[in-house]
Amino acid sequence: MYAVSLGDDGAELHPLEPWQAEEFLAHIDRGREFIGRHNGLPDVVTDLESSRAYLQAYAEKTAADTGRLFGIRTDGTLVGAVLLRTFDVAQGTAEAGCWLEPAAVGRGLVTRAVRAVIDWAVEERGIHRVDWWVSSGNAPSIAVARRLGMTKEGVLRESYLYRGERHDEEIWSVLAPEWRRARAAR
């Protein structure tokens, strides 16, 4: 199977596809409460049928070249994911996002995985700008944006209605020239 190494610890990044719906659901179930603190995915993926439908939607985005979904594995177990929620080659823009189950937190997996995805988007596909939209209350995700060298562009006040409450959203981004300079400095 296609996989990209995320480092010496054996972590890998690989595409997620509809035939993996059972494994994907088990992953979401393991992290349902934790992932759901800031991400609506656990409210969408609730059973095998909805798991398959979510993965199918991203398979269709991949086929249409409008999005991507990549799983993060450690020791062969799916523990998280990185996605390009939007992907517009003509405009040169994309929006990245992520999640992890609790057992995988604190190992730099998301930073390494997003770095690999942005490298691919910028260098292979010519994406000029990658956005990172995040709830202002999601400190770990904001820390990822900072580690990736993204710039905070602004706050959309009370723009995100989630589970009956309005949340501020921060918009972070990195431009291809900034990304390349930071990568050369690593």
Side-chain angles (χ1 to χ4, degrees), residues 44-55:
V44 173
V45 176
T46 57
D47 56 20
L48 190 55
E49 182 179 336
S50 59
S51 179
R52 189 172 291 109
Y54 184 83
L55 295 177

Side-chain angles (χ1 to χ4, degrees), residues 5-82:
S5 172
L6 294 177
D8 295 339
D9 61 357
E12 293 181 329
L13 186 68
H14 65 90
L16 282 173
E17 300 174 357
W19 64 269
Q20 297 165 306
E22 192 171 319
E23 177 186 29
F24 187 68
L25 177 60
H27 153 65
I28 295 299
D29 284 344
R30 286 191 303 272
R32 188 168 297 282
E33 185 176 322
F34 181 80
I35 295 166
R37 294 181 311 160
H38 300 286
N39 185 323
L41 182 62
D43 296 343
V44 173
V45 176
T46 57
D47 56 20
L48 190 55
E49 182 179 336
S50 59
S51 179
R52 189 172 291 109
Y54 184 83
L55 295 177
Q56 183 63 42
Y58 270 91
E60 291 169 11
K61 282 185 168 199
T62 298
D65 204 24
T66 59
R68 298 286 188 287
L69 178 61
F70 303 95
I72 302 170
R73 288 185 184 281
T74 59
D75 300 319
T77 301
L78 181 63
V79 296
V82 173

Side-chain angles (χ1 to χ4, degrees), residues 65-159:
D65 204 24
T66 59
R68 298 286 188 287
L69 178 61
F70 303 95
I72 302 170
R73 288 185 184 281
T74 59
D75 300 319
T77 301
L78 181 63
V79 296
V82 173
L83 62 117
L84 293 171
R85 198 181 70 72
T86 63
F87 191 75
D88 186 333
V89 175
Q91 287 294 315
T93 60
E95 180 191 338
C98 68
W99 66 83
L100 282 177
E101 59 186 66
V105 171
R107 296 190 262 174
L109 293 169
V110 165
T111 302
R112 291 184 277 157
V114 174
R115 192 172 280 141
V117 170
I118 293 175
D119 278 345
W120 172 81
V122 168
E123 299 305 336
E124 298 295 323
R125 299 309 311 283
I127 296 297
H128 177 73
R129 174 191 169 93
V130 178
D131 288 348
W132 188 263
W133 289 50
V134 58
S135 168
S136 292
N138 190 344
S141 189
I142 291 168
V144 169
R146 286 189 176 112
R147 282 192 299 273
L148 293 170
M150 292 183 162
T151 298
K152 181 178 174 180
E153 295 187 342
V155 176
L156 301 174
R157 298 175 311 132
E158 296 186 7
S159 62

